[in-house]
Amino acid sequence: MYTVFVRLQIALEKRDEFVAGIRANARASLADEPGCLRFDVHQDATDPTTFYFYEIYVDEAAFETAHRAAPHYARWREVVAACVVPGTQQNTYALPLFPGDIPENPTS
């Protein structure tokens, strides 16, 4: 398994566009990519311009190759260019220590 943590900030006036874009990307990743096991999106509790993503893939290739080659990812990159404050996106890559403890992917 391969985990991706993302933290980024958006322009507040672009919030609706951003939320629609990340919702479409997360849902398509889960529905169309067999290698995407989880894609959670969170908004900071005190800062409405800061968002966090928690993504789990079956392996690094499922993220680096399949996810980034998906048609919905190209649309997502357009949303990033329009909404994300340049220089604020931070990606952290990790390996689950206890992969057997990760719950099944929710359908919602």
Side-chain angles (χ1 to χ4, degrees):
M1 288 186 172
Y2 190 71
T3 306
V4 182
F5 300 93
V6 178
R7 179 189 183 278
L8 53 77
Q9 289 184 285
I10 62 158
L12 187 57
E13 68 275 10
K14 297 285 192 165
R15 185 185 181 283
D16 291 345
E17 181 181 354
F18 175 80
V19 169
I22 190 55
R23 172 177 255 181
N25 184 49
R27 286 186 172 180
S29 296
L30 289 166
D32 301 338
E33 297 176 38
C36 182
L37 304 176
R38 185 165 202 99
F39 199 126
D40 298 332
V41 179
H42 301 265
Q43 184 176 7
D44 193 275
T46 60
D47 179 1
T49 66
T50 299
F51 289 82
Y52 308 93
F53 311 155
Y54 173 67
E55 307 169 45
I56 302 177
Y57 297 86
V58 294
D59 57 26
E60 186 175 354
F63 171 74
E64 293 288 345
T65 305
H67 178 63
R68 290 183 170 175
H72 60 86
Y73 187 81
R75 290 189 296 277
W76 164 243
R77 295 306 306 160
E78 293 172 4
V79 171
V80 168
C83 302
V84 174
V85 175
T88 64
Q89 183 169 335
Q90 301 171 340
N91 291 8
T92 301
Y93 306 101
L95 302 173
L97 189 57
F98 307 111
D101 293 346
I102 295 173
E104 291 294 319
N105 180 25
T107 58
S108 57

